[in-house]
Amino acid sequence: MKRIRPVLTSSSSRRSFLRAVGVGSVSLAALASCGPTQTALNGGGGGDEDGGDGDGGVDGDGDGDSGTLEPTCGELTEPNIEGPFFSEGSPERTSLREEGMAGVLFVVEGRVRSTDCEPILGAVLDFWQADDGGAYDNAGFELRGHQSVDGEGAYVLETIVPGHYLNGASYRPAHIHVTVKAPGFRSLTTQLYFAGDPYNGSDPFIRQSLIMDWVEGQTGEREATFDFVLARA
Ligand code: FE
């Protein structure tokens, strides 16, 4: 299994990482430390229901300048339903991809922070999701994994874009489930969604702040950033 865990120790190394995966026109301002909880790279998802900022992605905060972002990590990440498919005991890994696995490569990276923008060094993220066909592995741990943040509170997850599945009479939009836990902080259970998904508009569970904008790399992979902000216990 190919596992990739770029070490993101500074804004410049994060840029290098994004270049390495083929993301060429990223808003570097959007990658400034202590950036927004949901960072728009360049709105490449298209058709998203958040209305976008319409600025073509020059500037992640939409205020017209391309300088340093004001810290916005005071806003807590919204929780979202856990759903019925969480499994205890997922393996520790940063890549959920496996040999021969179908699906569009997706890489999301970001940081776990407190409301005062401090990185939470002890945070553990546990991800689980459906496969390309919309099925969960409830017998094993395919597309499930947990990881600890690095020395700067950063994480990187390499996976695939999840498929849609029926929930009652309607399909759920593509989403990745995650719990984020850290000593001294309230645990968070939430879901990450993809801008432009055809079912975003009809899903009863989706929250605007949890929709990731993404860019498409040179080989069709998707790339996004998402920071989690936890409340102190
Ligand atoms: Fe789900």
Side-chain angles (χ1 to χ4, degrees):
M1 184 192 310
K2 182 183 171 192
R3 295 182 182 177
I4 300 174
R5 181 169 171 77
V7 178
L8 305 176
T9 55
S10 67
S11 292
S12 61
S13 64
R14 297 176 108 197
R15 288 173 212 149
S16 299
F17 163 65
L18 288 165
R19 274 200 295 271
V21 297
V23 179
S25 57
V26 173
S27 164
L28 297 179
L31 300 178
S33 62
C34 216
T37 300
Q38 178 205 334
T39 303
L41 292 181
N42 70 0
D48 55 297
E49 60 176 15
D50 65 6
D53 57 17
D55 66 3
V58 173
D59 158 60
D61 58 2
D63 63 4
D65 69 53
S66 56
T68 305
L69 289 175
E70 289 297 315
T72 57
C73 46
E75 207 158 305
L76 293 172
T77 302
E78 274 192 275
N80 211 208
I81 59 165
E82 180 175 290
F85 301 123
F86 175 72
S87 295
E88 287 284 355
S90 72
E92 183 171 11
R93 54 184 175 179
T94 60
S95 178
L96 306 184
R97 298 179 72 213
E98 296 178 30
E99 190 100 20
M101 182 178 277
V104 174
L105 170 63
F106 175 60
V107 181
V108 57
E109 55 102 8
R111 295 176 190 247
V112 182
R113 299 182 184 283
S114 63
T115 50
D116 52 4
C117 297
E118 292 297 316
I120 302 177
L121 301 186
V124 176
L125 305 101
D126 199 345
F127 295 96
W128 72 103
Q129 66 171 84
D131 66 15
D132 184 56
Y136 286 87
D137 177 10
N138 293 312
F141 291 101
E142 186 181 275
L143 290 166
R144 300 173 185 271
H146 73 273
Q147 61 177 284
S148 299
V149 295
D150 69 11
E152 296 194 354
Y155 75 93
V156 179
L157 176 72
E158 182 180 322
T159 184
I160 59 157
V161 177
H164 303 123
Y165 61 86
L166 267 176
N167 178 54
S170 60
Y171 281 97
R172 294 224 59 216
H175 60 277
I176 297 174
H177 293 269
V178 59
T179 64
V180 189
K181 298 182 178 180
F185 290 84
R186 288 187 215 159
S187 297
L188 170 71
T189 299
T190 194
Q191 300 180 34
L192 304 180
Y193 298 88
F194 294 79
D197 190 285
Y199 299 105
N200 281 353
S202 57
D203 186 69
F205 306 109
I206 195 170
R207 295 292 177 267
Q208 187 61 53
S209 69
L210 301 176
I211 299 173
M212 301 177 287
D213 284 323
W214 48 272
V215 292
E216 187 171 288
Q218 291 171 346
T219 58
E221 75 277 14
R222 295 186 186 182
E223 173 79 20
T225 68
F226 194 95
D227 287 353
F228 296 95
V229 180
L230 302 188
R232 293 187 189 278

